[in-house]
Amino acid sequence: YGTVSVYATQREAFDQMYEDLLTNVTSLLVNYSRILEQRYSDSNSEQIEREFELGGSTYPLQRLATATDSRLQFDTVAEHTDETVRILVTVVDGAAETVLANATTINSILAVEPFGAIEASQLSLTIKKPFLASVIGKHGGRLVHSVSDPTGTTIRVAVPTNVSPRPLADSLQSRYDDIHLISQHRTERPRNVDVSAAVEMLTDRQREILSAAYHGGYY
């Protein structure tokens, strides 16, 4: 665990702007620390990637894609709580405004908001647990890729070679009736983080938040 402590010399020094700043910065730090843990671990560098097809209506992103006639790509987990998980998704095909307007009509999706400018088509969704990524993580795996459209969902899961795949497979099959293994192969975990590519993915607002945190001495 990591702790970020912030102090002031006077009472009630932190208004809503500072609270929003700290919330965003800590969320990004937690997510980035997970990326570093996954990519710079010296042990267990080999992993097995398995690709599955999901049908039915159990997966909330599948239900949302069907309801809005869109194609949704899971990007990352931004934040965990005991009861919920906040994820970032990109509307690859379809209208982001339509997905934004209809997201909370889907059972288990509790909140939605644009992540950056709505024109970027990236949304933040707060989803009630258990969510696919948290289920996979509980069994030692990682959700690498997930794309949902009205016809179904394709997911790719990575599990270190020293972790038994059976508990995760049993858990997925118990939660999703219509699930099929498409392929599997052995890969190496990537060891280098492409910083320039990561910077290009940030919106202007995200760069502004990180810049303010850096110049404010938070790093």
Side-chain angles (χ1 to χ4, degrees):
Y1 295 91
T3 301
V4 176
S5 300
V6 183
Y7 298 87
T9 57
Q10 59 186 12
R11 297 175 65 87
E12 300 182 356
F14 303 112
D15 58 18
Q16 189 63 46
M17 180 186 73
Y18 287 106
E19 291 183 13
D20 292 343
L21 171 66
L22 290 170
T23 298
N24 282 284
V25 168
T26 52
S27 176
L28 289 170
L29 282 172
V30 168
N31 192 49
Y32 189 63
S33 69
R34 292 186 182 129
I35 294 174
L36 290 179
E37 287 174 359
Q38 293 166 355
R39 295 191 174 184
Y40 284 96
S41 175
D42 291 331
S43 61
N44 303 330
S45 60
E46 281 196 338
Q47 60 185 14
I48 302 295
E49 286 195 0
R50 293 178 173 87
E51 190 168 12
F52 297 90
E53 278 187 350
L54 296 180
S57 59
T58 307
Y59 189 41
L61 294 186
Q62 173 65 52
R63 298 199 303 271
L64 182 56
T66 301
T68 57
D69 193 26
S70 59
R71 189 166 184 256
L72 306 178
Q73 173 184 285
F74 165 84
D75 295 327
T76 190
V77 173
E79 186 177 19
H80 281 280
T81 70
D82 291 340
E83 302 294 332
T84 64
V85 58
R86 185 165 68 88
I87 67 171
L88 303 182
V89 302
T90 297
V91 183
V92 180
D93 291 317
E97 294 85 353
T98 302
V99 177
L100 181 66
N102 289 274
T104 53
T105 65
I106 303 300
N107 185 31
S108 79
I109 298 181
L110 306 179
V112 58
E113 61 182 358
F115 192 74
I118 189 62
E119 292 80 9
S121 298
Q122 193 172 41
L123 304 176
S124 168
L125 301 177
T126 300
I127 300 178
K128 185 178 179 180
K129 287 183 176 178
F131 177 67
L132 179 61
S134 56
V135 171
I136 293 171
K138 182 180 179 180
H139 292 88
R142 178 169 56 94
L143 179 59
V144 178
H145 182 74
S146 165
V147 175
S148 301
D149 62 31
T151 65
T153 295
T154 301
I155 66 170
R156 191 163 71 248
V157 178
V159 180
T161 53
N162 66 336
V163 174
S164 173
R166 179 53 64 87
L168 175 57
D170 290 345
S171 179
L172 292 176
Q173 289 173 356
S174 69
R175 294 177 185 278
Y176 306 100
D177 295 332
D178 191 6
I179 180 171
H180 305 282
L181 177 65
I182 302 173
S183 65
Q184 71 175 28
H185 58 278
R186 186 183 297 262
T187 64
E188 290 280 339
R189 286 185 181 178
R191 294 184 177 273
N192 297 317
V193 177
D194 189 345
V195 177
S196 61
V199 171
E200 291 172 0
M201 291 174 63
L202 296 176
T203 65
D204 291 342
R205 178 58 176 161
Q206 291 164 13
R207 290 194 190 97
E208 182 181 323
I209 291 169
L210 289 175
S211 177
Y214 174 78
H215 291 291
Y218 294 117
Y219 290 100

